[in-house]
């Protein structure tokens, strides 16, 4: 039991840190936006983004408005962000002094993780926006909202998002039973209230865990027993590399070789960014391309 608790804590830590430093936190529903000191009639000129996804979106809308970003591996090799100051490094919280020095008129943070720094910035008179992108509609809504605030045209980017999706759900594949696994101990799978659950469904798959609910501390994810996985017996298995050795670990489970997916060689490994954590526009596009090959 101690071993299991340790692994749960480790996974949660990695999960939340990644969400904070790399992208908008994944979870449920559409887009949940909370703004302090809102002045919609004033067009934004200087924005600090505390997630890689928001930084990417702002850069696509109007790169001249982005004055500060998080230190993220998803951004570090992108020349668009080379000369933009970083306000955080690794797992460290954002440097408030650096943010204040940039004189932003808006700081975009991650709901549930950036709450403390955003609250402090509010107290200092800086407007903040706290976001959650839990599904595709949330991605579109956040893009439209921030574009309106910037006085930018969101339609080209929305059209790009649309191009990632299949033109229509395949009638042949829409009922293919699919299970996405992100952890072994415990076995975690996304339900419909998560980015992963939503994007899989949008490609026509039948997410076995879609309607399941539980008390898992990670919103949008449910804990499954080995017996439940075997009972569900998915035709397609998607394993997310949130844990580097996850696939090898799952192969040791007694149920593994009994599943239709493994017997028919329908097991696929996806990157954490794009599948579980939206991460960036490029990460989402890559995931979409891989899903198109399956469904």
């Amino acid at each position: 039991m101690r071993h299991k608790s340790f692994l749960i804590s480790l996974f949660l830590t990695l999960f939340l840190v990644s969400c904070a430093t790399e992208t908008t936190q994944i979870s449920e529903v559409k887009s949940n936006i909370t703004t302090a000191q809102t002045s919609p009639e004033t067009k934004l000129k200087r924005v600090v983004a505390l997630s890689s996804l928001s930084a990417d979106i702002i850069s696509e809308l109007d790169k001249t408005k982005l004055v500060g970003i998080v230190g993220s591996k998803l951004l570090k090799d992108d020349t668009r962000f080379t000369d933009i100051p970083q306000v955080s490094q690794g797992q460290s919280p954002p440097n408030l002094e650096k943010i204040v020095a940039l004189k932003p008129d808006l700081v975009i943070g991650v709901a549930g993780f950036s709450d403390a720094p955003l609250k402090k910035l509010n107290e200092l008179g800086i407007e903040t926006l706290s976001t959650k992108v839990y599904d595709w509609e949330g991605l579109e809504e956040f893009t439209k909202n921030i574009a309106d605030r910037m006085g930018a045209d969101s339609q080209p980017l929305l059209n790009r998002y649309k191009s990632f999706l299949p033109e229509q759900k395949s009638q042949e594949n829409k009922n293919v039973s699919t299970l996405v696994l992100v952890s072994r101990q415990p076995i975690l799978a996304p339900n419909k209230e998560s980015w992963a659950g939503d994007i899989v469904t949008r490609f026509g798959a039948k997410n076995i865990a879609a309607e399941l609910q539980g008390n898992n501390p990670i919103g949008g994810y449910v804990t499954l027993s080995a017996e439940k996985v075997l009972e569900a017996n998915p035709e397609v298995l998607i394993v997310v590399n949130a844990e580097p050795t996850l696939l090898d670990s799952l192969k040791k489970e007694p149920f593994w070789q009994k599943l239709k997916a493994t017997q028919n060689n329908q097991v696929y490994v996806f990157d954490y960014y794009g599948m579980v954590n939206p991460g960036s526009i490029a990460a989402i596009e890559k995931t979409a391309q891989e899903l198109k090959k399956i469904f």
Side-chain angles (χ1 to χ4, degrees):
M1 182 63 71
R2 264 177 89 184
H3 182 60
K4 181 177 179 180
S5 298
F6 169 76
L7 288 174
I8 293 174
S9 297
L10 176 60
F11 181 76
L12 283 171
T13 300
L14 292 173
F15 189 93
L16 292 176
V17 166
S18 296
C19 288
T21 59
E22 304 290 61
T23 187
T24 304
Q25 184 179 1
I26 62 110
S27 245
E28 59 177 32
V29 195
K30 319 280 190 289
S31 178
N32 182 344
I33 301 177
T34 304
T35 310
Q37 304 168 343
T38 305
S39 49
E41 71 283 354
T42 303
K43 299 304 178 184
L44 301 173
K45 296 180 180 179
R46 299 179 63 83
V47 181
V48 171
L50 300 183
S51 75
S52 58
L53 181 61
S54 57
D56 198 4
I57 290 172
I58 293 166
S59 179
E60 287 294 316
L61 292 171
D62 185 348
K63 63 182 180 181
T64 66
K65 304 290 179 66
L66 187 61
V67 297
I69 59 173
V70 290
S72 165
K73 73 175 187 178
L74 294 179
L75 304 180
K76 70 176 183 178
D77 296 325
D78 192 324
T79 56
R80 294 178 299 162
F81 305 103
T82 301
D83 298 322
I84 299 178
Q86 294 184 4
V87 298
S88 69
Q89 291 291 337
Q91 300 178 11
S92 303
N95 186 310
L96 297 182
E97 290 185 4
K98 284 186 177 181
I99 294 175
V100 172
L102 292 171
K103 299 180 180 180
D105 42 31
L106 180 68
V107 177
I108 302 175
V110 180
F113 197 94
S114 303
D115 297 351
L118 292 185
K119 180 180 179 181
K120 183 63 177 178
L121 290 167
N122 286 338
E123 293 172 354
L124 296 173
I126 296 175
E127 183 180 349
T128 65
L129 185 150
S130 181
T131 65
K132 297 176 183 178
V133 174
Y134 287 168
D135 59 17
W136 201 273
E137 290 182 11
L139 173 68
E140 293 177 329
E141 186 158 336
F142 169 68
T143 300
K144 287 187 286 188
N145 286 342
I146 195 63
D148 288 345
R149 291 293 314 276
M150 294 170 61
D153 182 7
S154 63
Q155 199 56 52
L157 194 48
L158 294 174
N159 290 341
R160 185 178 170 191
Y161 297 161
K162 187 176 180 180
S163 72
F164 299 164
L165 297 172
E167 292 185 7
Q168 60 183 11
K169 293 181 180 179
S170 168
Q171 293 300 309
E172 179 182 351
N173 291 332
K174 70 176 183 178
N175 290 318
V176 174
S177 59
T178 303
L179 185 62
V180 181
L181 298 178
V182 301
S183 174
R184 179 193 173 203
Q185 293 184 335
I187 299 173
L188 287 179
N191 62 19
K192 66 181 181 180
E193 298 177 346
S194 68
W195 173 265
D198 181 70
I199 194 172
V200 167
T201 301
R202 285 178 182 272
F203 279 80
K206 180 182 178 181
N207 177 16
I208 290 174
E211 300 298 330
L212 298 180
Q213 298 294 329
N215 297 319
N216 197 286
I218 301 176
Y221 285 77
V222 294
T223 302
L224 302 178
S225 65
E227 292 75 18
K228 186 67 176 179
V229 174
L230 189 56
E231 178 187 341
N233 200 11
E235 297 171 82
V236 171
L237 265 175
I238 293 176
V239 178
V240 181
N241 63 0
E243 301 173 6
T245 61
L246 179 56
L247 180 58
D248 290 337
S249 297
L250 287 170
K251 287 180 178 179
K252 298 175 183 178
E253 291 285 352
F255 65 76
W256 186 258
Q257 294 302 328
K258 300 177 183 179
L259 301 175
K260 292 178 185 178
T262 54
Q263 293 173 354
N264 297 326
N265 197 29
Q266 295 295 302
V267 179
Y268 304 90
V269 178
F270 274 67
D271 193 73
Y272 172 79
Y273 296 106
M275 175 55 77
V276 170
N277 190 327
S280 69
I281 298 171
I284 295 170
E285 182 177 21
K286 180 182 177 182
T287 294
Q289 290 172 344
E290 293 301 314
L291 287 171
K292 284 180 181 179
K293 296 176 184 178
I294 303 173
F295 303 111

